[in-house]
Amino acid sequence: MGTQPSKIALLISSLISFTAFTATAEDLGASSATIDETITVTGSRFDRTVDQQLTVINTIEREEIARLNPKSVADVLETLPGVSVSRNGGAGQATSISVRGSNSNHVLVLVDGVKVGSATLGTVSFNTLSPENIERIEVLKGPRASVWGSDAIGGVIQIFTRELKGGEWFAGAEYGSNDYVRGSFGAGMNHGDGNTTLAVNHEQSDGYDVYNGAEVENDDDGYKRNALSLKGSQQINQNWQALWNGQYDKGNTQYDDIYASGSADESDYENYLWSLATQYSREQFTSKLAVSQSQDSNENFRGDDASVAIAEFETKRDQVNWSNQYLAADDLTITGGIDWSREQVRGDYAQDERDLFGAYALIQKQWSKLLAEVAVRYDDVENIDSETSYNASLAYQFNEQWRIAATTGTAFKAPTFNDLYWPDSGNSDLISETAESYELTLHFNNQDLRAYISVFQNKIDNLIAWAPTGEQDDFGWDIWKPANINEAKITGVELSANYQLLGLEHQLGYTYLNAENKQTDEQLIGRSENEFNYLLSYTWQQFDLLANYHYQGKRYAGYEQYLDAYHKLDLSLGFQIDDAWSLRLKANNLFDEEIISDQNYFSPGRELFFSVSYQAF
């Protein structure tokens, strides 16, 4: 471990040199700077341009999602630096998302501003979300508990559903490998000074045998996925606006369980969310009040009798969010608000509901080329503890193209209901997992190149893991329960570059990661030291071509074993017949590489898909 700092220093030096060279290369024609008008909201809950954000936020728009033609949200997220994906098979199987080496339950996931996920497991079922109903994704890197509260240790992922204007509509159909079938439709409707978008999607696939072991379950593991989203707004008068949105996902997944003794396994899910909000805007002041509810429900079945569930998990979360922003001056912005939520779970738990309360404030101040931001939040989690989180950031703009930003912050993750109250094995004495992070990021931006290099460190304490209690049961077996016994230190370098060269669009992302369990001095399970993604796109007349290459370094699997590194290449070819009709041919895993991102579970081999779509805009 003593060589790691020198390795990081060498890597930083090399990447900075590469970024600087690319930025000044004659082929790019880098001359006058341009302002990136991309708007993000995840950093502060209100619209801000990229140059106003002091944390790294990656965005993926609808156009790029359509060209990627993904079969899961994980396929989209995997193209981003610092985001790592682990799958128990294909698009319909359980999927874990790690941001900058953090655990999968250390990422806060929002859909149109509403927190989603299970309060029993503490994770989000990404395999239940339909990419066709997504307009935009924002991924904020690093802790942001100071604005969003619990879970935002590694980052925040916010998904925005489709949004169309009145008279706009789309329809699409697709067929592909493993008898994959998709049909989708969406339309926008005007009503006075407002509009509403309705989008629906259906997908199904016969799947394939995802587990490496015929003696366990020798069957195909298919899935069905249905999604409905509704999103709208109405301008009541000059100052008041009403907003609403809803999302409904229902489906079935067949999977392989190593403990199933040869029986078929499947799972039904039914998830939804809705939100009603009103927003008041006047001159320098904006206030938004939102009331929402989300449900995460899952039933597992085994064997021939698919009418009796062997396990049921359900989370309902009621939420009230009041957010305010005041532009005190051209160079001073004050943001603050209050969050309340009630989590309820179904099951034989000693405690089946809890209230969470949070209050936060954020101040951003500009002095000429210097931009500073401080955010503080207080959270109280019923029957557990209270946490105070902060973020402090400082950025200096050297010129129109170069900027450097430094950030430090804290975050926490409240224990789940399973951790605290699972019958006979929960530990109600647990406290929240906590984290402290540091980050330094160098940005470059002009008309042909947008790039950044970020060096980060995240220390996570009080990690919850199973441990012997020192007691024994009636049969003499040691009793194990969750305990706050682990700590981790994650250090890394993240590089992103989007540029034009030789008539081609290039997008590359690279992450170096040293994720260490400080209790055992071993690498954290499931992490890769090196991960690289490269998107190459080209447009010629009515054709467009997108090549997506992904390299995943070897992953530590525990007990001194590693999962093999792998390469994956996807190709997407589109043809625009006219202004409305288009065709697309997609090939995943073109070289049919054997991919295992989670031990003994195969990702799909080579797959082919053909789609046709119509868009009226």
Side-chain angles (χ1 to χ4, degrees):
M1 293 296 175
T3 62
Q4 293 301 329
S6 61
K7 288 174 64 178
I8 295 176
L10 178 61
L11 193 57
I12 293 172
S13 175
S14 301
L15 293 177
I16 289 178
S17 299
F18 166 79
T19 304
F21 169 77
T22 308
T24 57
E26 184 176 346
D27 287 331
L28 288 176
S31 54
S32 61
T34 61
I35 299 175
D36 191 338
E37 294 296 337
T38 299
I39 302 295
T40 62
V41 302
T42 306
S44 64
R45 299 199 184 192
F46 288 93
D47 289 353
R48 287 191 178 179
T49 58
V50 170
D51 60 314
Q52 294 173 313
Q53 299 285 6
L54 295 178
T55 54
V56 174
I57 301 179
N58 300 133
T59 62
I60 305 174
E61 304 288 350
R62 178 66 227 169
E63 181 180 356
E64 185 175 349
I65 295 174
R67 294 173 69 186
L68 282 169
N69 193 19
K71 297 299 166 279
S72 70
V73 174
D75 293 342
V76 182
L77 295 173
E78 196 171 35
T79 65
L80 299 177
V83 180
S84 188
V85 176
S86 177
R87 301 176 175 88
N88 284 9
Q93 303 298 315
T95 302
S96 298
I97 304 293
S98 172
V99 176
R100 288 187 170 177
S102 63
N103 289 341
S104 59
N105 62 354
H106 289 163
V107 180
L108 175 65
V109 181
L110 309 162
V111 176
D112 289 325
V114 180
K115 181 178 179 179
V116 297
S118 169
T120 56
L121 295 174
T123 56
V124 174
S125 299
F126 286 94
N127 56 302
T128 68
L129 299 171
S130 171
E132 275 298 306
N133 282 18
I134 295 175
E135 181 71 29
R136 171 186 176 86
I137 299 177
E138 294 179 5
V139 181
L140 183 151
K141 309 293 184 59
R144 204 57 173 173
S146 59
V147 173
W148 292 103
S150 178
D151 300 0
I153 287 180
V156 181
I157 298 174
Q158 180 152 205
I159 297 169
F160 299 90
T161 53
R162 296 290 290 265
E163 191 168 3
L164 302 171
K165 298 178 182 178
E168 296 180 344
W169 64 279
F170 70 89
E174 186 172 7
Y175 179 79
S177 298
N178 301 316
D179 282 331
Y180 173 87
V181 177
R182 173 181 63 82
S184 57
F185 173 81
M189 298 161 282
N190 282 336
H191 36 76
D193 291 330
N195 61 79
T196 296
T197 300
L198 174 69
V200 294
N201 184 71
H202 170 79
E203 297 171 70
Q204 66 181 55
S205 172
D206 289 347
Y208 62 97
D209 193 7
V210 301
Y211 191 73
N212 179 22
E215 70 280 2
V216 177
E217 294 181 46
N218 187 14
D219 61 350
D220 288 338
D221 300 299
Y223 67 92
K224 294 180 181 179
R225 184 162 59 197
N226 297 289
L228 168 68
S229 66
L230 182 73
K231 188 173 188 178
S233 64
Q234 179 69 46
Q235 196 70 38
I236 300 172
N237 56 37
Q238 184 177 355
N239 303 118
W240 287 95
Q241 184 183 32
L243 306 102
W244 55 87
N245 63 272
Q247 175 83 16
Y248 179 76
D249 300 287
K250 183 176 183 179
N252 171 274
T253 296
Q254 299 167 344
Y255 62 96
D256 284 345
D257 184 347
I258 61 174
Y259 304 107
S261 301
S263 300
D265 292 279
E266 58 182 282
S267 173
D268 289 342
Y269 65 86
E270 186 173 14
N271 303 336
Y272 70 78
L273 67 88
W274 59 262
S275 176
L276 298 174
T278 180
Q279 181 167 299
Y280 175 82
S281 302
R282 183 174 182 180
E283 297 177 349
Q284 291 89 7
F285 179 68
T286 303
S287 181
K288 182 178 181 180
L289 178 65
V291 178
S292 59
Q293 184 183 79
S294 63
Q295 172 184 281
D296 185 283
S297 180
N298 188 283
E299 291 184 308
N300 294 338
F301 304 89
R302 175 167 296 164
D304 297 330
D305 188 359
S307 63
V308 180
I310 61 170
E312 298 181 56
F313 303 94
E314 181 177 290
T315 295
K316 281 191 177 179
R317 185 179 288 109
D318 299 317
Q319 304 173 62
V320 179
N321 310 104
W322 183 38
S323 303
N324 306 273
Q325 179 173 270
Y326 178 59
L327 304 178
D330 291 341
D331 56 3
L332 178 62
T333 302
I334 302 172
T335 305
I338 295 173
D339 299 320
W340 173 88
S341 65
R342 171 169 293 166
E343 297 177 340
Q344 305 172 68
V345 299
R346 178 192 293 181
D348 186 20
Y349 293 92
Q351 189 89 18
D352 58 7
E353 71 174 38
R354 67 183 180 192
D355 291 349
L356 299 88
F357 171 83
Y360 71 96
L362 182 150
I363 299 176
Q364 189 175 93
K365 171 68 175 175
Q366 179 90 45
W367 293 278
S368 184
K369 294 184 177 183
L370 197 65
L371 180 62
E373 180 183 276
V374 176
V376 180
R377 180 182 172 106
Y378 170 82
D379 283 278
D380 181 76
V381 183
E382 185 179 6
N383 298 324
I384 302 177
D385 53 14
S386 62
E387 297 289 342
T388 300
S389 310
Y390 76 88
N391 272 87
S393 305
L394 191 65
Y396 182 77
Q397 192 80 34
F398 295 104
N399 52 42
E400 291 181 323
Q401 297 176 332
W402 291 94
R403 183 176 74 149
I404 191 168
T407 300
T408 182
T410 60
F412 75 100
K413 163 70 178 178
T416 68
F417 279 83
N418 283 2
D419 294 331
L420 294 163
Y421 309 119
W422 185 262
D424 300 323
S425 64
N427 180 1
S428 59
D429 294 327
L430 292 172
I431 62 174
S432 295
E433 300 172 330
T434 58
E436 182 176 13
S437 77
Y438 305 90
E439 178 182 340
L440 183 66
T441 306
L442 180 66
H443 299 265
F444 179 88
N445 184 19
N446 75 358
Q447 63 184 5
D448 291 315
L449 170 68
R450 289 180 293 112
Y452 70 82
I453 180 170
S454 186
V455 184
F456 58 88
Q457 183 180 92
N458 201 357
K459 297 179 180 178
I460 309 174
D461 295 323
N462 301 317
L463 282 167
I464 297 172
W466 284 85
T469 63
E471 301 175 334
Q472 294 183 330
D473 61 19
D474 295 338
F475 301 96
W477 294 95
D478 290 334
I479 297 176
W480 289 57
K481 289 187 177 182
N484 296 100
I485 60 170
N486 282 348
E487 58 180 301
K489 181 179 178 181
I490 303 170
T491 305
V493 180
E494 180 179 304
L495 168 71
S496 174
N498 295 265
Y499 58 96
Q500 299 178 5
L501 184 64
L502 303 177
L504 303 173
E505 297 283 344
H506 307 260
Q507 177 180 317
L508 64 87
Y510 170 76
T511 308
Y512 167 81
L513 200 65
N514 180 29
E516 185 179 4
N517 184 329
K518 298 301 292 182
Q519 299 296 107
T520 63
D521 291 330
E522 294 181 332
Q523 291 295 300
L524 295 180
I525 292 176
R527 276 65 165 188
S528 294
E529 189 175 70
N530 298 288
E531 192 166 349
F532 176 79
N533 203 87
Y534 177 58
L535 283 168
L536 175 67
S537 60
Y538 177 72
T539 302
W540 179 72
Q541 295 183 0
Q542 293 117 307
F543 291 91
D544 70 82
L545 175 67
L546 179 68
N548 179 23
Y549 168 77
H550 184 79
Y551 169 77
Q552 185 77 50
K554 64 179 183 179
R555 285 173 158 156
Y556 184 57
Y559 304 104
E560 299 183 356
Q561 296 184 14
Y562 289 85
L563 300 179
D564 291 338
Y566 62 81
H567 306 260
K568 182 173 181 280
L569 178 64
D570 301 338
L571 290 180
S572 177
L573 177 63
F575 177 71
Q576 195 73 35
I577 300 174
D578 55 28
D579 290 342
W581 288 95
S582 62
L583 306 175
R584 184 162 299 278
L585 180 64
K586 177 70 182 293
N588 287 338
N589 194 5
L590 187 65
F591 297 123
D592 200 23
E593 177 113 354
E594 182 178 281
I595 297 174
I596 300 177
S597 62
D598 198 350
Q599 197 161 22
N600 293 324
Y601 285 95
F602 286 115
S603 291
R606 184 186 298 111
E607 296 178 305
L608 296 175
F609 302 93
F610 177 75
S611 62
V612 56
S613 61
Y614 181 90
Q615 299 184 77
F617 292 109

